Amino acid sequence: LAQVSLSQAPLIPKSEVHLATISAMPKFIGFLREKIQYGRWVPEPVIIAKGVAGGSTLDFSQAIFVHPVITIKATAWVGAVTLIVPP
């Protein structure tokens, strides 16, 4: 269980998020393949990421944060879960 708090990331009210922005699913499961989420997206407050004989990558570099805390529940079995956060 990893809790990522990006205190420097600007929070945007959900009502102001542009309709063209991708709303992400709360589950990312890489089963025998790679599941990648990147670009402009709105992360849910709780995310489940699993890598089962594959990988799951969550790139928060361009994410639009509407929640002050994002909780990531990560599990890997003969695979990996990779988190990319802004500097």
Side-chain angles (χ1 to χ4, degrees), residues 36-64:
I36 302 172
Q37 177 66 53
Y38 63 93
R40 288 178 52 101
W41 62 292
V42 179
E44 294 292 326
V46 177
I47 297 174
I48 297 171
K50 294 183 181 182
V52 180
S56 183
T57 300
L58 301 175
D59 186 346
F60 293 96
S61 299
Q62 297 178 20
I64 298 172

Side-chain angles (χ1 to χ4, degrees), residues 13-69:
K14 199 160 192 161
S15 61
E16 294 182 21
V17 175
H18 190 272
L19 295 175
T21 302
I22 297 171
S23 183
M25 295 173 31
K27 289 186 181 180
F28 298 92
I29 301 172
F31 179 71
L32 297 176
R33 62 184 172 91
E34 183 79 16
K35 176 68 175 174
I36 302 172
Q37 177 66 53
Y38 63 93
R40 288 178 52 101
W41 62 292
V42 179
E44 294 292 326
V46 177
I47 297 174
I48 297 171
K50 294 183 181 182
V52 180
S56 183
T57 300
L58 301 175
D59 186 346
F60 293 96
S61 299
Q62 297 178 20
I64 298 172
F65 296 95
V66 295
H67 306 287
V69 176

Side-chain angles (χ1 to χ4, degrees), residues 3-14 43-46 64-71:
Q3 190 169 20
V4 178
S5 179
L6 302 172
S7 58
Q8 296 178 348
L11 292 178
I12 299 173
K14 199 160 192 161
E44 294 292 326
V46 177
I64 298 172
F65 296 95
V66 295
H67 306 287
V69 176
I70 306 293
T71 302

